[in-house]
Amino acid sequence: MSDKALAVRGVVFNWLGRGCAIIITFFLTPYLVSKLGDESYGLWSMVMAFTSYYAMADMGLRGAGVKYIAQYLAVKDYESVNKVFVTSLAVYALIGAVILVIVGIASVILPYTIDLGNHSIREMQWVIFLTGATMATRMLSQVYGAALSAMQRHDITNIVAVAMQLFQAVAVVAALLGGYGLWGMAVATFTVTLTGQLLRTAFSYWLLPELSISTQYFDKQMLKQVFRFSGVNVMANTAARLLVYGGGLIVGYMWGPAMVLFYTIPESITQKTSQLGSAITQVIDPLASRLNAQKNKSAMLELMVLPPRLLTVSSLSLAIFFAFFGGSVIRQWMGPQYVEQMTPVLCVLAVARALKMSTGGLQAVLRSMAKLRVIAIAAMLEICITLVFGLTGVWYWGPIGMAYAILIAQFLVGLLFVPAATCKALDLPIRRFYLDVWPPSLAALLPPLCVAFLLDYFWAPGRLLELAVVCGLILVTAGISAFFICVPRNRRSDILVSLTFRSPVKPA
């Protein structure tokens, strides 16, 4: 199957995977809050946020693995593929061991720095250690996930992901019903993570039998090449994790664990829904690397326009839904007592996520061209702006202050800096980029905006099922609108053929 067909199918399967994750989170989160209480749920959110930063220890190797494995697969250089694979795997093994040492130390110290409420220090030490060990386990098979992404086998990746999400939901509920609390949740999460990583490992060898873990493929030159690229990914990943988890930590330390809930719930909603857009960006990364390896500049220029259009329409359509119905979602999902404080945070974060997602395709183009300095500058700007405005905003205004800080960072970096830098790299006038992307995108948003207004005026849905139907109607309208307004006519037939093509997928 062609690269374009694989890309389209990858987006569809990514959407299915993200959709299932949203549904699972939608039903599981209220249960966790009601079972644990605001304070215990806030503690769990803080622990998960803190231990999630262990994932930055991969030093961006997964992104480098996707780029270089896809690049060498495009020219059928399997020896270089194995060099990337084995070299990365050796580094991941070392990182995993280091993380276990660090998490052991953190599990002893961290519980003494947090208000634990009714939880014992020993219990929280085990929770922190197990969640950190979960991150270490993920390290050991990141390279296998990179191989699947490089082959554009997002169907396999998402099938495994959905199965593990369902498994984890069942395991977590069983742990709470059994009275095991946060400790049981940590054990369940670790067990599911280990199972998922083993499945991804097995599928990687099945789909790419040329893979080998022979020590002869460990290559110092390849190590330098991978680290040169991955070093910038560390900064980008730091910025991304600061957006996802940093706000909860800052709110928790400044306002206490009970207030974390008022930020992390809206953040969780926007994070999960924005993953519908990341379904496109994950496909763009290996595709851009292949096109760059093939010196296909015209296709690269097309990647600068079409993905940003689709990402802008999809993410802003969700922002429209939250602007009209966010309060109803919070009321029916979490309870009326959360509406006043959570709804503004939800709306601001939805717009910030939309600005972030609108440049996802551009960053993929920059990565494929190895424009590492630009990506590093963007990441540093994002981190600094978010921290400066976030610390100040949370101090004075609480959770909403962090949401505004993220919005400011995304406006300056996502809407201005990244497009300008990408246009310069491809010798495209910035004015042409904005005219090619934003007028069609905004025009495609008019139909879903009208649908949201009419539904709010004539229906005013209140129940969760009704709200889900409304969200679906808005997104379907946005999808149809984007298909006819944002997608060029010659690409529409390519998309339709890709969705109905039935021959087996074989990696290039």
Side-chain angles (χ1 to χ4, degrees):
M1 186 179 287
S2 68
D3 284 342
K4 292 176 183 176
L6 282 168
V8 172
R9 284 200 166 187
V11 170
V12 172
F13 273 98
N14 280 346
W15 273 338
L16 293 174
R18 301 306 188 278
C20 290
I22 292 171
I23 292 171
I24 292 170
T25 301
F26 188 80
F27 288 103
L28 186 61
T29 301
Y31 174 79
L32 294 180
V33 174
S34 63
K35 194 74 176 176
L36 293 172
D38 291 1
E39 187 176 79
S40 293
Y41 185 84
L43 278 173
W44 175 255
S45 298
M46 291 182 69
V47 170
M48 292 300 292
F50 178 79
T51 54
S52 73
Y53 283 93
Y54 294 135
M56 290 190 299
D58 78 342
M59 296 178 288
L61 286 174
R62 190 183 189 282
V66 172
K67 170 181 167 55
Y68 289 116
I69 292 176
Q71 178 178 310
Y72 293 129
L73 282 176
V75 294
K76 301 185 187 310
D77 185 354
Y78 295 113
E79 181 177 358
S80 294
V81 168
N82 279 318
K83 286 182 179 180
V84 176
F85 184 80
V86 172
T87 303
S88 300
L89 188 61
V91 176
Y92 276 125
L94 178 61
I95 292 172
V98 172
I99 286 179
L100 287 177
V101 174
I102 294 174
V103 74
I105 297 172
S107 65
V108 174
I109 298 174
L110 191 61
Y112 292 98
T113 68
I114 304 174
D115 180 8
L116 301 181
N118 296 326
H119 298 276
S120 68
I121 290 178
R122 185 169 181 80
E123 178 190 7
M124 292 308 300
Q125 286 175 335
W126 274 108
V127 170
I128 294 170
F129 180 79
L130 285 170
T131 51
T134 299
M135 296 299 170
T137 302
R138 289 175 183 169
M139 289 293 105
L140 297 178
S141 59
Q142 280 291 302
V143 68
Y144 294 100
L148 290 171
S149 294
M151 291 184 283
Q152 300 194 58
R153 290 310 306 262
H154 302 283
D155 51 349
I156 297 296
T157 300
N158 282 285
I159 288 171
V160 173
V162 170
M164 293 304 101
Q165 288 162 6
L166 291 170
F167 181 20
Q168 180 169 328
V170 172
V172 166
V173 171
L176 292 178
L177 289 176
Y180 296 104
L182 297 182
W183 181 83
M185 291 172 63
V187 172
T189 302
F190 174 77
T191 303
V192 172
T193 299
L194 179 61
T195 304
Q197 300 309 329
L198 291 174
L199 287 173
R200 292 183 183 92
T201 300
F203 277 118
S204 296
Y205 284 115
W206 176 53
L207 293 168
L208 190 59
E210 293 85 0
L211 284 180
S212 171
I213 57 172
S214 173
T215 55
Q216 66 176 330
Y217 290 117
F218 182 84
D219 187 84
K220 293 183 179 179
Q221 189 62 38
M222 184 63 71
L223 183 64
K224 293 179 182 178
Q225 179 177 324
V226 167
F227 268 112
R228 192 179 302 117
F229 181 88
S230 65
V232 175
N233 275 353
V234 171
M235 302 178 69
N237 290 341
T238 301
R241 289 187 178 276
L242 180 63
L243 293 178
V244 175
Y245 300 108
L249 286 174
I250 292 173
V251 171
Y253 275 104
M254 286 189 174
W255 288 73
M259 285 297 293
V260 175
L261 183 71
F262 294 97
Y263 178 84
T264 56
I265 293 298
E267 189 281 325
S268 176
I269 295 173
T270 56
Q271 180 198 4
K272 292 296 182 183
T273 52
S274 69
Q275 287 177 354
L276 294 172
S278 68
I280 298 175
T281 59
Q282 284 190 348
V283 172
I284 296 172
D285 272 315
L287 179 59
S289 295
R290 288 170 179 264
L291 294 175
N292 188 59
Q294 296 163 355
K295 309 298 182 183
N296 192 341
K297 185 176 180 179
S298 62
M300 292 285 284
L301 288 171
E302 187 177 3
L303 280 181
M304 276 199 63
V305 175
L306 183 55
R309 286 180 181 177
L310 299 178
L311 288 163
T312 299
V313 174
S314 62
S315 55
L316 283 178
S317 295
L318 288 167
I320 289 172
F321 169 73
F322 290 129
F324 278 89
F325 306 103
S328 298
V329 170
I330 296 295
R331 180 179 293 104
Q332 297 299 320
W333 188 36
M334 301 301 302
Q337 69 272 27
Y338 298 106
V339 173
E340 183 178 355
Q341 286 187 279
M342 283 189 183
T343 303
V345 178
L346 176 62
C347 293
V348 174
L349 285 177
V351 177
R353 293 281 184 187
L355 295 180
K356 175 74 173 179
M357 292 309 305
S358 67
T359 62
L362 302 183
Q363 297 230 21
V365 171
L366 289 171
R367 282 191 290 270
S368 71
M369 299 175 65
K371 298 293 183 179
L372 307 183
R373 184 179 178 183
V374 174
I375 299 173
I377 293 173
M380 285 302 300
L381 286 173
E382 197 171 342
I383 292 171
C384 293
I385 295 170
T386 302
L387 280 177
V388 170
F389 285 95
L391 290 169
T392 305
V394 171
W395 179 266
Y396 285 104
W397 300 294
I400 189 65
M402 192 68 203
Y404 277 119
I406 293 175
L407 178 62
I408 293 170
Q410 293 313 311
F411 177 82
L412 295 175
V413 178
L415 198 61
L416 301 179
F417 178 78
V418 173
T422 311
C423 288
K424 182 178 180 181
L426 286 174
D427 297 322
L428 181 71
I430 184 67
R431 182 172 177 272
R432 178 184 166 187
F433 168 79
Y434 283 125
L435 290 175
D436 284 345
V437 172
W438 282 97
S441 300
L442 294 176
L445 283 169
L446 290 177
L449 180 62
C450 292
V451 168
F453 178 81
L454 292 173
L455 289 172
D456 183 50
Y457 185 81
F458 290 105
W459 186 7
R463 292 183 297 179
L464 283 177
L465 182 59
E466 293 175 342
L467 290 166
V469 171
V470 168
C471 184
L473 289 172
I474 292 173
L475 290 178
V476 169
T477 304
I480 295 172
S481 178
F483 184 77
F484 287 102
I485 296 176
C486 296
V487 179
R489 182 174 298 178
N490 62 320
R491 291 298 177 216
R492 297 175 199 164
S493 57
D494 292 342
I495 292 174
L496 294 175
V497 169
S498 299
L499 294 176
T500 57
F501 196 76
R502 297 180 178 274
S503 65
V505 179
K506 186 176 182 180

